[in-house]
């Protein structure tokens, strides 16, 4: 059963929203960096990314004097499942899906993450939150507008749905771990667990596991390791621990918006009417889902 989010006052909620939004914005902005790795071995590159991120997070633990806590067998199993789905599985599904479907369709399917998280939390807690669920639907519609709807064969669509499931698992499997291990340990331990999984898949897959990166690839790997993984993971899990999966999941709609904004800023693509309209719809969904009807003295409305 999903653990309840940590209670927070108004200031705590705002800080959690900022962390969650910043994490998803960093993920979206990273798509341009990921494009620089188009010709680099995928699984080996992801293994390097998570290995570097794990070292960074473990160094932060040492600097902040956060004690290393040995996970219980149940926690270890959940961490392995989190790494296998939200990190390793998501990377593999996205790569395979883009071989059978247009990237825009994959992005639109993964963009349904807010609905999946809101619905899952409602089922687990046996409490429907119509406001948050409606907001998740609005955010998902905005993502579809930003991404557009590309084409896919049946296998590509199935793989995209697999990527969606893994993206949702990245948050859902972490929620019960955060109250006891904390965001920093969960982020570090998950990265550590993902490295051998990716190396094993890379050894089994055809083609080279690793290659010597050129300057652009090295810069992209550094950005993905430090900013996208170490920093964004910690921001995301810090926000998730405060507000729960349903509300935090709304910020997933910022991924394609941030990707679009980055592409426009770098001159990679020109603005489109559907992209601007989608960004406005995402903003409307966030406003709907994050506004509360809270009276002084009431508990925070997290559903």
């Amino acid at each position: 059963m999903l653990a309840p989010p940590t209670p927070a006052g108004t200031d705590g909620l705002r800080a959690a929203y900022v962390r969650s939004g910043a994490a998803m914005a960093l993920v979206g902005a990273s798509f341009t960096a990921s494009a620089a790795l188009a010709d680099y071995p995928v699984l080996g590159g992801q293994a390097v990314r998570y290995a570097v991120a794990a070292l960074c997070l473990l160094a932060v633990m040492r600097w902040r004097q956060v004690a290393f806590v040995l996970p219980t067998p149940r926690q270890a199993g959940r961490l392995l499942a989190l790494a296998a789905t939200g990190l390793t599985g998501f990377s593999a599904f996205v790569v395979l899906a883009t071989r059978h479907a247009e990237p825009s369709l994959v992005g639109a399917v993964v963009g349904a993450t807010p609905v999946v998280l809101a619905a899952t939390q409602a089922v687990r807690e046996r409490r429907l939150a119509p406001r948050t669920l409606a907001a998740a639907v609005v955010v998902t519609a905005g993502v579809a507008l930003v991404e557009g709807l590309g084409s896919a064969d049946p296998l590509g669509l199935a793989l995209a749905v697999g990527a969606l499931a893994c993206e949702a698992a990245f948050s859902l499997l972490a929620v019960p771990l955060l109250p006891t291990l904390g965001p920093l340990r969960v982020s570090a331990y998950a990265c550590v667990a993902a490295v051998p999984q990716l190396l094993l898949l890379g050894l089994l897959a055809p083609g080279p596991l690793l290659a010597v990166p050129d300057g652009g690839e090295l810069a992209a790997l550094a950005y993905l390791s430090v900013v996208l993984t170490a920093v964004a993971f910690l921001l995301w899990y810090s926000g998730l621990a405060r507000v729960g999966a349903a509300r935090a999941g709304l910020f997933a709609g910022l991924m394609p918006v941030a990707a679009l904004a980055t592409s426009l800023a770098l001159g990679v693509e020109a603005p489109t009417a559907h992209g601007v309209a989608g960004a406005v719809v995402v903003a409307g969904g966030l406003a709907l889902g994050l506004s509360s009807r809270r009276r002084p003295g009431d508990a925070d409305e997290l559903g």
Side-chain angles (χ1 to χ4, degrees):
M1 187 154 182
L2 288 176
T6 303
T10 302
D11 291 341
L13 283 175
R14 288 173 180 167
Y17 292 160
V18 170
R19 292 186 187 112
S20 300
M24 291 297 102
L26 287 173
V27 173
S30 73
F31 291 166
T32 303
S34 298
L37 296 172
D39 298 324
Y40 194 82
V42 175
L43 295 173
Q46 293 295 313
V48 170
R49 164 191 169 185
Y50 289 120
V52 174
L55 291 174
C56 292
L57 290 164
L58 291 172
V60 172
M61 284 178 60
R62 183 176 179 82
W63 175 63
R64 292 175 56 177
Q65 297 183 335
V66 176
F68 180 87
V69 175
L70 188 66
T72 66
R74 185 170 185 177
Q75 289 172 335
R78 192 176 289 272
L79 283 165
L80 287 172
L82 169 60
T85 54
L87 282 66
T88 303
F90 180 78
S91 300
F93 272 116
V94 168
V95 171
L96 293 173
T98 53
R99 295 176 182 173
H100 297 271
E102 293 182 5
S104 58
L105 184 135
V106 179
V109 172
V110 175
T113 300
V115 172
V116 174
L117 292 179
T120 302
Q121 183 162 313
V123 171
R124 291 287 185 88
E125 296 181 354
R126 298 176 183 176
R127 178 171 62 90
L128 179 64
R131 187 185 187 88
T132 303
L133 189 56
V137 172
V138 173
V139 168
T140 299
V143 169
L145 275 174
V146 173
E147 295 282 1
L149 293 176
S151 60
D153 60 28
L155 179 57
L157 183 59
L159 291 168
V161 172
L164 168 62
C166 289
E167 177 67 13
F170 178 72
S171 296
L172 295 173
L173 289 173
V175 170
L177 296 169
L178 293 170
T180 52
L181 295 179
L184 185 51
R185 291 192 189 93
V186 171
S187 300
Y189 295 177
C191 288
V192 170
V195 174
Q197 295 175 358
L198 284 160
L199 288 175
L200 179 59
L201 285 178
L203 290 171
L204 295 176
L209 174 63
L210 290 170
V212 178
D214 59 28
E217 291 170 340
L218 184 61
L221 283 170
Y223 176 84
L224 294 177
S225 301
V226 179
V227 179
L228 176 60
T229 308
V231 176
F233 276 27
L234 187 54
L235 286 171
W236 178 250
Y237 284 145
S238 297
L240 183 67
R242 283 287 185 136
V243 300
R247 276 197 170 186
L250 296 176
F251 288 98
L254 292 180
M255 283 193 290
V257 175
L260 176 62
T262 304
S263 295
L264 294 177
L266 296 177
V268 176
E269 59 180 296
T272 61
H274 68 81
V276 174
V280 172
V281 173
V282 168
L286 284 169
L288 173 63
L290 302 182
S291 60
S292 65
R293 298 171 180 174
R294 192 170 169 268
R295 297 186 301 271
D298 287 349
D300 291 313
E301 180 193 345
L302 297 171

